[in-house]
Amino acid sequence: MGWEKTRERVRAARSDLAAAVPVNAAQLPAAGLLWWIWSTSRDQYETGYGGAFGILCLLVFAPLLLPLLGLLLSAVLALPAILFARPVLRRFGGPEWACRTVAAAATAVGWGAVTTALFRWPFVATASVLTVLGLLPALGIAYVRTRSWSQWGLWWRSALVCVGLFALALGGGLVASAAGLIPQYEPPELTRAQLTGVWRGGNGAELRLTRDGRAEAHSLPTEPIDRDWTAPHYLDYVVCAGSGTWKPDPGTDDTDRAGILLHLHTDCGRDTRWSVSGTESAPQLYVLFGDPDAGILRTLDRAGD
């Protein structure tokens, strides 16, 4: 008797998971578009084609990618929520939609905690995004179960919902951008005094800038002396240490933002131009090594004097 109940629960979970994949796939293009629109308010570090090229690739390869991405999202978000909601619903009862909503939010909070601990992603933002992504499948599965649709019927209905959500996201994004609700990113304008101090980045990189124009670098990525990209052992950047000089560089045109020009008194690398990014309260310096469309981005955060 217990084995039959277990088999029944497994079949129900598999049925819910099969329904979750098309539902998840339907919302992903709209979610990707909203993310791209939001990213326009963030610094793109003057890289290549920006998010528009990624959106174009998404539209071209969507028929192949969406089922796989829908399956991945279902396994990560929908399945844990299903396994959490069923025993809670059996034990405490109540509306199924409410139980599924709570289960989706709890799953999102759990993954938010994991990503914060492992990758230092912002917990509130991550948990909120995952909750939104998990709500539609959680509620949509309950609706799908009341219909006698075939798998093909579920998928073509999912395609219609996908188009509708994408159009809604596009229209809403355009209206928000036109109304100024999504401002375009503008780098801060830092004075010489604000540039002075200690800047630190990944892999132990450190740059100390003094008011009199002296610089001290430790494990700092620098432009390589050899700029021949076709060379067999070409390096996008080299790691250097030593003293040198620096000066503010206001930029030469609209595409070359303000920054600093760093010269180290070593033969390790060439003079490197670091551009300003971040905000007034949390400024950054960055440089893009190699191909501007697919280069290696390195950043330094202001650490203090």
Side-chain angles (χ1 to χ4, degrees):
M1 192 71 175
W3 174 245
E4 289 296 327
K5 288 184 177 181
T6 301
R7 292 181 59 184
E8 182 180 350
R9 292 171 185 172
V10 170
R11 283 196 298 267
R14 290 177 59 185
S15 177
D16 282 353
L17 183 60
V21 175
V23 176
N24 268 313
Q27 68 176 341
L28 287 178
L33 177 63
L34 291 175
W35 172 85
W36 176 67
I37 294 174
W38 170 82
S39 70
T40 61
S41 66
R42 315 289 291 182
D43 192 2
Q44 301 300 308
Y45 298 102
E46 300 179 304
T47 53
Y49 300 106
F53 184 71
I55 293 294
L56 178 61
C57 290
L58 176 63
L59 293 177
V60 172
F61 295 104
L64 296 176
L65 291 177
L66 287 181
L68 296 177
L69 294 177
L71 176 60
L72 176 62
L73 196 60
S74 298
V76 172
L77 289 179
L79 184 58
I82 292 170
L83 297 178
F84 175 76
R86 284 188 177 279
V88 172
L89 189 62
R90 286 196 303 269
R91 182 176 181 84
F92 299 103
E96 184 177 0
W97 67 266
C99 186
R100 288 179 176 273
T101 299
V102 172
T107 303
V109 168
W111 280 115
V114 171
T115 55
T116 299
L118 295 180
F119 309 111
R120 298 184 179 179
W121 292 359
F123 172 75
V124 174
T126 303
S128 299
V129 170
L130 293 178
T131 298
V132 172
L133 289 175
L135 278 180
L136 182 61
L139 301 178
I141 291 172
Y143 177 78
V144 169
R145 288 176 60 195
T146 64
R147 300 295 186 269
S148 58
W149 296 334
S150 65
Q151 196 66 22
W152 166 245
L154 180 57
W155 271 105
W156 73 256
R157 288 176 173 84
S158 172
L160 293 179
V161 173
C162 178
V163 173
L165 289 176
F166 189 86
L168 184 63
L170 179 60
L174 292 176
V175 170
S177 298
L181 300 178
I182 306 177
Q184 298 297 307
Y185 173 79
E186 292 290 341
E189 297 181 4
L190 302 183
T191 64
R192 188 183 186 94
Q194 290 173 310
L195 289 168
T196 299
V198 180
W199 301 80
R200 293 194 178 98
N203 301 320
E206 181 178 296
L207 176 63
R208 184 180 297 271
L209 306 177
T210 64
R211 291 180 181 271
D212 58 0
R214 290 181 297 170
E216 189 72 29
H218 301 279
S219 301
L220 190 72
T222 309
E223 291 281 0
I225 295 177
D226 184 6
R227 301 293 295 273
D228 182 8
W229 292 7
T230 63
H233 301 293
Y234 170 77
L235 298 175
D236 289 308
Y237 65 88
V238 292
V239 178
C240 300
S243 60
T245 59
W246 73 280
K247 63 179 181 180
D249 188 344
T252 56
D253 52 45
D254 293 338
T255 61
D256 193 8
R257 67 174 70 176
I260 67 168
L261 187 61
L262 177 66
H263 170 73
L264 297 179
H265 300 318
T266 67
D267 58 359
C268 178
R270 298 164 57 96
D271 293 356
T272 303
R273 189 183 189 282
W274 292 81
S275 300
V276 173
S277 180
T279 62
E280 288 282 352
S281 59
Q284 280 187 329
L285 295 176
Y286 78 91
V287 62
L288 192 66
F289 295 104
D291 184 355
D293 296 328
I296 298 176
L297 176 70
R298 297 299 301 270
T299 61
L300 301 174
D301 296 304
R302 177 65 186 267
D305 297 331

